[in-house]
Amino acid sequence: MPSINWDTVATAAATAIFVTLAVEYAAKPRLEARKERILAVHRSRRELAVAVRGIAVTSAFLALDLPKDAAGDVRAQLLAERARKHEQMRDQAQAMFDVGDSHAATYPGWVMESVMSYITTVQGVMLSARTQHDKACLIRDLSQHMAVIVDARILRPLAFMNARAGLDALVAKTHERDGEPNPVPATRRG
């Protein structure tokens, strides 16, 4: 009959207890904190993508021209809905602007610059003296490019680069004053 070496059993049990406690008290808290940071980054990126799509839909509605043959009461309802949507778009732009720094911080390098540029440009457009229709058209176009940037960075690199170039062109266009380019050039890396 084989005999049990109790020294080996005790050594294995002590090692198992030591490793379990070391992992539980030394490594696990850092892993949990890292997991929370990663989840917060993904949550913030999802919130930004939802906000961009939301303002894109609102601005697309406002960019539509009113039908010329609409009856008086229908026209009045459409105008009331446009006024409500304009307020909604202003609130959406303000909400994005208020938390823009935390959204932008979740992206690396020049993607972060694009996010910040988009958010500040949308806020600037909303505060500008442009007409509601011009604001809506510009924000719709900016948001279409930004939606591609925040959604398709890795999966479609060509679409991402085209959207970034389109966003940069629109941002530069919003900074033009009386046909003169903005004296402060945008700096881009990469």
PDB file of all heavy atoms in Angstrom, residues 40-54 96 99 102-103 107:
ATOM      1  N   ALA A  40     -15.232  52.215 -18.595  1.00  0.00           N
ATOM      2  CA  ALA A  40     -15.583  53.640 -18.640  1.00  0.00           C
ATOM      3  C   ALA A  40     -15.214  54.248 -19.989  1.00  0.00           C
ATOM      4  O   ALA A  40     -15.969  55.064 -20.533  1.00  0.00           O
ATOM      5  CB  ALA A  40     -14.878  54.387 -17.506  1.00  0.00           C
ATOM      6  N   VAL A  41     -14.077  53.853 -20.542  1.00  0.00           N
ATOM      7  CA  VAL A  41     -13.677  54.349 -21.861  1.00  0.00           C
ATOM      8  C   VAL A  41     -14.691  53.914 -22.912  1.00  0.00           C
ATOM      9  O   VAL A  41     -15.149  54.730 -23.724  1.00  0.00           O
ATOM     10  CB  VAL A  41     -12.257  53.853 -22.225  1.00  0.00           C
ATOM     11  CG1 VAL A  41     -11.974  54.014 -23.703  1.00  0.00           C
ATOM     12  CG2 VAL A  41     -11.219  54.583 -21.397  1.00  0.00           C
ATOM     13  N   HIS A  42     -15.055  52.652 -22.900  1.00  0.00           N
ATOM     14  CA  HIS A  42     -16.016  52.158 -23.897  1.00  0.00           C
ATOM     15  C   HIS A  42     -17.393  52.799 -23.704  1.00  0.00           C
ATOM     16  O   HIS A  42     -18.079  53.102 -24.680  1.00  0.00           O
ATOM     17  CB  HIS A  42     -16.101  50.633 -23.850  1.00  0.00           C
ATOM     18  CG  HIS A  42     -14.884  49.974 -24.408  1.00  0.00           C
ATOM     19  ND1 HIS A  42     -14.591  49.961 -25.744  1.00  0.00           N
ATOM     20  CD2 HIS A  42     -13.868  49.320 -23.794  1.00  0.00           C
ATOM     21  CE1 HIS A  42     -13.457  49.327 -25.948  1.00  0.00           C
ATOM     22  NE2 HIS A  42     -12.988  48.927 -24.778  1.00  0.00           N
ATOM     23  N   ARG A  43     -17.789  53.003 -22.472  1.00  0.00           N
ATOM     24  CA  ARG A  43     -19.072  53.651 -22.186  1.00  0.00           C
ATOM     25  C   ARG A  43     -19.071  55.084 -22.719  1.00  0.00           C
ATOM     26  O   ARG A  43     -20.013  55.522 -23.363  1.00  0.00           O
ATOM     27  CB  ARG A  43     -19.343  53.632 -20.682  1.00  0.00           C
ATOM     28  CG  ARG A  43     -20.711  54.087 -20.282  1.00  0.00           C
ATOM     29  CD  ARG A  43     -20.941  53.980 -18.772  1.00  0.00           C
ATOM     30  NE  ARG A  43     -20.589  52.667 -18.231  1.00  0.00           N
ATOM     31  CZ  ARG A  43     -19.569  52.420 -17.413  1.00  0.00           C
ATOM     32  NH1 ARG A  43     -18.796  53.403 -16.990  1.00  0.00           N
ATOM     33  NH2 ARG A  43     -19.324  51.199 -16.972  1.00  0.00           N
ATOM     34  N   SER A  44     -17.992  55.800 -22.497  1.00  0.00           N
ATOM     35  CA  SER A  44     -17.883  57.179 -22.962  1.00  0.00           C
ATOM     36  C   SER A  44     -17.890  57.249 -24.485  1.00  0.00           C
ATOM     37  O   SER A  44     -18.542  58.110 -25.076  1.00  0.00           O
ATOM     38  CB  SER A  44     -16.607  57.816 -22.416  1.00  0.00           C
ATOM     39  OG  SER A  44     -16.481  59.130 -22.869  1.00  0.00           O
ATOM     40  N   ARG A  45     -17.205  56.330 -25.130  1.00  0.00           N
ATOM     41  CA  ARG A  45     -17.194  56.304 -26.597  1.00  0.00           C
ATOM     42  C   ARG A  45     -18.580  55.994 -27.147  1.00  0.00           C
ATOM     43  O   ARG A  45     -18.995  56.569 -28.159  1.00  0.00           O
ATOM     44  CB  ARG A  45     -16.171  55.287 -27.096  1.00  0.00           C
ATOM     45  CG  ARG A  45     -14.752  55.749 -26.892  1.00  0.00           C
ATOM     46  CD  ARG A  45     -13.760  54.743 -27.425  1.00  0.00           C
ATOM     47  NE  ARG A  45     -12.398  55.209 -27.191  1.00  0.00           N
ATOM     48  CZ  ARG A  45     -11.329  54.563 -27.599  1.00  0.00           C
ATOM     49  NH1 ARG A  45     -11.449  53.419 -28.266  1.00  0.00           N
ATOM     50  NH2 ARG A  45     -10.129  55.042 -27.356  1.00  0.00           N
ATOM     51  N   ARG A  46     -19.289  55.066 -26.504  1.00  0.00           N
ATOM     52  CA  ARG A  46     -20.664  54.763 -26.948  1.00  0.00           C
ATOM     53  C   ARG A  46     -21.565  55.981 -26.773  1.00  0.00           C
ATOM     54  O   ARG A  46     -22.383  56.284 -27.646  1.00  0.00           O
ATOM     55  CB  ARG A  46     -21.227  53.583 -26.163  1.00  0.00           C
ATOM     56  CG  ARG A  46     -20.903  52.235 -26.735  1.00  0.00           C
ATOM     57  CD  ARG A  46     -21.738  51.125 -26.108  1.00  0.00           C
ATOM     58  NE  ARG A  46     -21.823  51.179 -24.659  1.00  0.00           N
ATOM     59  CZ  ARG A  46     -20.960  50.633 -23.810  1.00  0.00           C
ATOM     60  NH1 ARG A  46     -19.917  49.998 -24.277  1.00  0.00           N
ATOM     61  NH2 ARG A  46     -21.141  50.723 -22.515  1.00  0.00           N
ATOM     62  N   GLU A  47     -21.425  56.675 -25.641  1.00  0.00           N
ATOM     63  CA  GLU A  47     -22.233  57.871 -25.400  1.00  0.00           C
ATOM     64  C   GLU A  47     -21.958  58.933 -26.454  1.00  0.00           C
ATOM     65  O   GLU A  47     -22.890  59.589 -26.934  1.00  0.00           O
ATOM     66  CB  GLU A  47     -21.957  58.436 -24.007  1.00  0.00           C
ATOM     67  CG  GLU A  47     -22.506  57.590 -22.889  1.00  0.00           C
ATOM     68  CD  GLU A  47     -22.024  58.038 -21.516  1.00  0.00           C
ATOM     69  OE1 GLU A  47     -21.279  59.048 -21.428  1.00  0.00           O
ATOM     70  OE2 GLU A  47     -22.394  57.378 -20.535  1.00  0.00           O
ATOM     71  N   LEU A  48     -20.690  59.117 -26.825  1.00  0.00           N
ATOM     72  CA  LEU A  48     -20.356  60.093 -27.854  1.00  0.00           C
ATOM     73  C   LEU A  48     -20.947  59.684 -29.196  1.00  0.00           C
ATOM     74  O   LEU A  48     -21.523  60.516 -29.908  1.00  0.00           O
ATOM     75  CB  LEU A  48     -18.840  60.267 -27.980  1.00  0.00           C
ATOM     76  CG  LEU A  48     -18.394  61.230 -29.083  1.00  0.00           C
ATOM     77  CD1 LEU A  48     -18.900  62.650 -28.805  1.00  0.00           C
ATOM     78  CD2 LEU A  48     -16.882  61.213 -29.231  1.00  0.00           C
ATOM     79  N   ALA A  49     -20.840  58.407 -29.543  1.00  0.00           N
ATOM     80  CA  ALA A  49     -21.402  57.942 -30.818  1.00  0.00           C
ATOM     81  C   ALA A  49     -22.913  58.148 -30.856  1.00  0.00           C
ATOM     82  O   ALA A  49     -23.457  58.582 -31.874  1.00  0.00           O
ATOM     83  CB  ALA A  49     -21.048  56.466 -31.040  1.00  0.00           C
ATOM     84  N   VAL A  50     -23.592  57.873 -29.750  1.00  0.00           N
ATOM     85  CA  VAL A  50     -25.044  58.083 -29.683  1.00  0.00           C
ATOM     86  C   VAL A  50     -25.366  59.569 -29.807  1.00  0.00           C
ATOM     87  O   VAL A  50     -26.303  59.961 -30.510  1.00  0.00           O
ATOM     88  CB  VAL A  50     -25.615  57.486 -28.381  1.00  0.00           C
ATOM     89  CG1 VAL A  50     -27.033  57.949 -28.121  1.00  0.00           C
ATOM     90  CG2 VAL A  50     -25.557  55.965 -28.434  1.00  0.00           C
ATOM     91  N   ALA A  51     -24.582  60.420 -29.141  1.00  0.00           N
ATOM     92  CA  ALA A  51     -24.818  61.866 -29.212  1.00  0.00           C
ATOM     93  C   ALA A  51     -24.601  62.390 -30.624  1.00  0.00           C
ATOM     94  O   ALA A  51     -25.384  63.218 -31.113  1.00  0.00           O
ATOM     95  CB  ALA A  51     -23.903  62.589 -28.226  1.00  0.00           C
ATOM     96  N   VAL A  52     -23.572  61.903 -31.301  1.00  0.00           N
ATOM     97  CA  VAL A  52     -23.301  62.341 -32.673  1.00  0.00           C
ATOM     98  C   VAL A  52     -24.435  61.908 -33.597  1.00  0.00           C
ATOM     99  O   VAL A  52     -24.917  62.700 -34.411  1.00  0.00           O
ATOM    100  CB  VAL A  52     -21.938  61.787 -33.164  1.00  0.00           C
ATOM    101  CG1 VAL A  52     -21.771  61.977 -34.658  1.00  0.00           C
ATOM    102  CG2 VAL A  52     -20.801  62.440 -32.406  1.00  0.00           C
ATOM    103  N   ARG A  53     -24.872  60.669 -33.463  1.00  0.00           N
ATOM    104  CA  ARG A  53     -25.986  60.214 -34.312  1.00  0.00           C
ATOM    105  C   ARG A  53     -27.269  60.965 -33.991  1.00  0.00           C
ATOM    106  O   ARG A  53     -28.046  61.304 -34.885  1.00  0.00           O
ATOM    107  CB  ARG A  53     -26.175  58.708 -34.157  1.00  0.00           C
ATOM    108  CG  ARG A  53     -25.116  57.904 -34.884  1.00  0.00           C
ATOM    109  CD  ARG A  53     -25.452  56.423 -34.924  1.00  0.00           C
ATOM    110  NE  ARG A  53     -25.494  55.812 -33.612  1.00  0.00           N
ATOM    111  CZ  ARG A  53     -24.459  55.226 -33.026  1.00  0.00           C
ATOM    112  NH1 ARG A  53     -23.293  55.188 -33.629  1.00  0.00           N
ATOM    113  NH2 ARG A  53     -24.593  54.681 -31.840  1.00  0.00           N
ATOM    114  N   GLY A  54     -27.498  61.263 -32.717  1.00  0.00           N
ATOM    115  CA  GLY A  54     -28.696  61.993 -32.327  1.00  0.00           C
ATOM    116  C   GLY A  54     -28.739  63.391 -32.910  1.00  0.00           C
ATOM    117  O   GLY A  54     -29.759  63.823 -33.463  1.00  0.00           O
ATOM    118  N   MET A  96     -23.084  67.860 -25.402  1.00  0.00           N
ATOM    119  CA  MET A  96     -21.824  67.324 -25.907  1.00  0.00           C
ATOM    120  C   MET A  96     -20.653  68.209 -25.499  1.00  0.00           C
ATOM    121  O   MET A  96     -19.596  67.718 -25.126  1.00  0.00           O
ATOM    122  CB  MET A  96     -21.856  67.221 -27.441  1.00  0.00           C
ATOM    123  CG  MET A  96     -22.140  65.856 -27.943  1.00  0.00           C
ATOM    124  SD  MET A  96     -21.758  65.622 -29.684  1.00  0.00           S
ATOM    125  CE  MET A  96     -22.437  67.022 -30.487  1.00  0.00           C
ATOM    126  N   VAL A  99     -19.494  67.780 -21.741  1.00  0.00           N
ATOM    127  CA  VAL A  99     -18.720  66.584 -21.385  1.00  0.00           C
ATOM    128  C   VAL A  99     -17.719  66.209 -22.476  1.00  0.00           C
ATOM    129  O   VAL A  99     -17.188  65.099 -22.478  1.00  0.00           O
ATOM    130  CB  VAL A  99     -19.651  65.381 -21.072  1.00  0.00           C
ATOM    131  CG1 VAL A  99     -20.466  65.637 -19.843  1.00  0.00           C
ATOM    132  CG2 VAL A  99     -20.521  65.046 -22.264  1.00  0.00           C
ATOM    133  N   SER A 102     -14.173  64.794 -21.488  1.00  0.00           N
ATOM    134  CA  SER A 102     -14.087  63.398 -21.041  1.00  0.00           C
ATOM    135  C   SER A 102     -14.262  62.436 -22.209  1.00  0.00           C
ATOM    136  O   SER A 102     -13.640  61.381 -22.229  1.00  0.00           O
ATOM    137  CB  SER A 102     -15.128  63.117 -19.955  1.00  0.00           C
ATOM    138  OG  SER A 102     -16.428  63.284 -20.462  1.00  0.00           O
ATOM    139  N   HIS A 103     -15.094  62.800 -23.193  1.00  0.00           N
ATOM    140  CA  HIS A 103     -15.221  61.948 -24.383  1.00  0.00           C
ATOM    141  C   HIS A 103     -13.929  61.964 -25.195  1.00  0.00           C
ATOM    142  O   HIS A 103     -13.450  60.917 -25.630  1.00  0.00           O
ATOM    143  CB  HIS A 103     -16.376  62.415 -25.268  1.00  0.00           C
ATOM    144  CG  HIS A 103     -17.727  62.146 -24.699  1.00  0.00           C
ATOM    145  ND1 HIS A 103     -18.095  60.948 -24.142  1.00  0.00           N
ATOM    146  CD2 HIS A 103     -18.828  62.935 -24.613  1.00  0.00           C
ATOM    147  CE1 HIS A 103     -19.344  60.997 -23.734  1.00  0.00           C
ATOM    148  NE2 HIS A 103     -19.806  62.211 -24.013  1.00  0.00           N
ATOM    149  N   TYR A 107      -9.823  58.879 -26.585  1.00  0.00           N
ATOM    150  CA  TYR A 107      -9.246  58.562 -27.891  1.00  0.00           C
ATOM    151  C   TYR A 107      -7.770  58.932 -27.922  1.00  0.00           C
ATOM    152  O   TYR A 107      -7.343  59.858 -27.251  1.00  0.00           O
ATOM    153  CB  TYR A 107      -9.983  59.327 -29.000  1.00  0.00           C
ATOM    154  CG  TYR A 107     -11.383  58.844 -29.229  1.00  0.00           C
ATOM    155  CD1 TYR A 107     -12.463  59.473 -28.627  1.00  0.00           C
ATOM    156  CD2 TYR A 107     -11.632  57.745 -30.047  1.00  0.00           C
ATOM    157  CE1 TYR A 107     -13.753  59.022 -28.837  1.00  0.00           C
ATOM    158  CE2 TYR A 107     -12.917  57.294 -30.257  1.00  0.00           C
ATOM    159  CZ  TYR A 107     -13.972  57.933 -29.653  1.00  0.00           C
ATOM    160  OH  TYR A 107     -15.244  57.484 -29.853  1.00  0.00           O
TER     161      TYR A 107
END
